Amino acid sequence: QAINDDTALIKKLLKEVSYLIKDFPGYARIHQIHCCLDAWTVENELLTATMKLKRHKIESIFNSEIESLYAGH
C-alpha cells in the first residue's frame, strides 16, 4: 500500500505511538509500523463475534508485513 511508502507519515505515527507508550518497558516499545486501511471486522474474519482479534488469521494474512517489521532485529 502506498500509505506505507510515506516516510513522513510513518515517522509521525511512530512519534505519536512512542509518546503514548513512553512509560512501557523497553521490550514493549514500537520500532516499526505498518498501516492497514482495511477494517478488521467479523465479516472478513479478523474479529470474533465478541470483537476479539483472531490472531492466527491476522498472522497468516499479514505474515509478510510482520516479517518485514522484524527484519534486522
Side-chain angles (χ1 to χ4, degrees), residues 42-65:
V42 175
E43 290 77 21
N44 66 13
E45 300 179 359
L46 295 178
L47 296 177
T48 67
T50 57
M51 299 304 176
K52 295 177 186 167
L53 296 175
K54 289 188 174 181
R55 296 184 193 282
H56 294 294
K57 182 83 170 182
I58 292 167
E59 288 175 4
S60 68
I61 291 173
F62 295 101
N63 185 53
S64 64
E65 290 86 350

Side-chain angles (χ1 to χ4, degrees), residues 5-71:
D5 295 331
D6 186 343
T7 55
L9 175 64
I10 298 299
K11 190 173 183 177
K12 180 159 178 53
L13 288 171
L14 277 172
K15 184 177 179 181
E16 292 293 322
V17 170
S18 294
Y19 174 77
L20 293 171
I21 63 170
K22 66 181 180 287
D23 295 328
F24 283 26
Y27 62 83
R29 301 274 166 85
I30 305 296
H31 300 284
Q32 297 286 336
I33 194 168
H34 175 80
C35 296
C36 174
L37 298 178
D38 300 324
W40 293 11
T41 65
V42 175
E43 290 77 21
N44 66 13
E45 300 179 359
L46 295 178
L47 296 177
T48 67
T50 57
M51 299 304 176
K52 295 177 186 167
L53 296 175
K54 289 188 174 181
R55 296 184 193 282
H56 294 294
K57 182 83 170 182
I58 292 167
E59 288 175 4
S60 68
I61 291 173
F62 295 101
N63 185 53
S64 64
E65 290 86 350
I66 293 168
E67 290 294 322
S68 69
L69 292 174
Y70 283 96

